[in-house]
Amino acid sequence: MTLHLRWAAVTDQGHVRSNNEDCHYAGDNLLVVCDGMGGMAAGDLASRLAVEAMVSLDAVIDTDQQMDSLHRALEVANQRIAEQVLADPSLQGMGTTLTAVLFNGERAAMAHVGDSRAYLLREDRLNQLTKDDTYVQMLVDQGLIKPEEAAGHPRRAVVTRVLQGEPVSPAYVIVEPQPGDRWLLCSDGLTGVVSDAVIEQELQTVPDPKSCAERLIDLALRGGGPDNVTVIVADVTTRD
Ligand code: CA
């Protein structure tokens, strides 16, 4: 059975930031969210370079090639960031998160670096498929703070791993898709403001992907919109 994605993507600058350093791509076979960092124009550039390096993956790629293709595209993304920094040292330190899902109708492969997130709503239960590469997640993993203390921790914004032109080990995950699955990819502008419980409820109750994505953006903005926010909602369906 070949499955299809029915997707919608929305981004917003938020109420505080002067520009939008998030960059995203959504297509029938590829979903990507990147959240750039590095000040001035550098964050913009890093996230855009990374997305551009991924776009050629929006094609039906054989299951046995998915992981290699993803891995190669991430290497290219990282390489392009390195080249830009080499050409203009003032860009030193720029980087981007990257969360990407490659989908071929039979299987999904995901790559992840940073603190953007991918969730899967399956049978009405929300599952977080990515683990934040952050200082507070490390404290949680080591048992030094409780998971519920992470959101209010003063160092919650410290990201420990991004694409910044240096060697990096992304996390890779394979998912066997099922009809009725609903994917959410988002930047931390959503998850920093809106709880998993609320996200789960919205994903359960707003059937149309576009309306659901807009609703989640709206909740982030009503929560103060302190950061750029990007949301991709993609439903797995048997219909083309
Ligand atoms: Ca962000």
Side-chain angles (χ1 to χ4, degrees), residues 196-229:
D196 279 9
V198 171
I199 290 172
E200 181 177 59
Q201 190 185 2
E202 297 301 323
L203 291 173
Q204 288 167 346
T205 55
V206 185
D208 176 59
K210 180 91 191 291
S211 306
C212 188
E214 287 171 346
R215 169 84 183 148
L216 289 170
I217 295 275
D218 190 48
L219 287 169
L221 294 176
R222 279 200 258 161
D227 196 0
N228 307 143
V229 53

Side-chain angles (χ1 to χ4, degrees), residues 19 71 103 139 170 194 218:
N19 62 344
H71 185 68
F103 181 83
L139 296 180
V194 184
D218 190 48

Side-chain angles (χ1 to χ4, degrees), residues 17 22 35 115-117 119 128 132 134 136 148-153 156-157 184 186-199 216-217 219-231:
R17 301 291 176 88
D22 287 358
D35 177 352
D115 68 346
S116 301
R117 289 184 182 173
Y119 293 89
Q128 186 178 334
D132 294 348
T134 57
V136 291
E148 55 272 24
E149 291 174 287
H153 195 279
R156 63 186 175 277
L184 167 67
C186 61
S187 59
D188 69 328
L190 178 69
T191 51
V193 180
V194 184
S195 72
D196 279 9
V198 171
I199 290 172
L216 289 170
I217 295 275
L219 287 169
L221 294 176
R222 279 200 258 161
D227 196 0
N228 307 143
V229 53
T230 300
V231 170

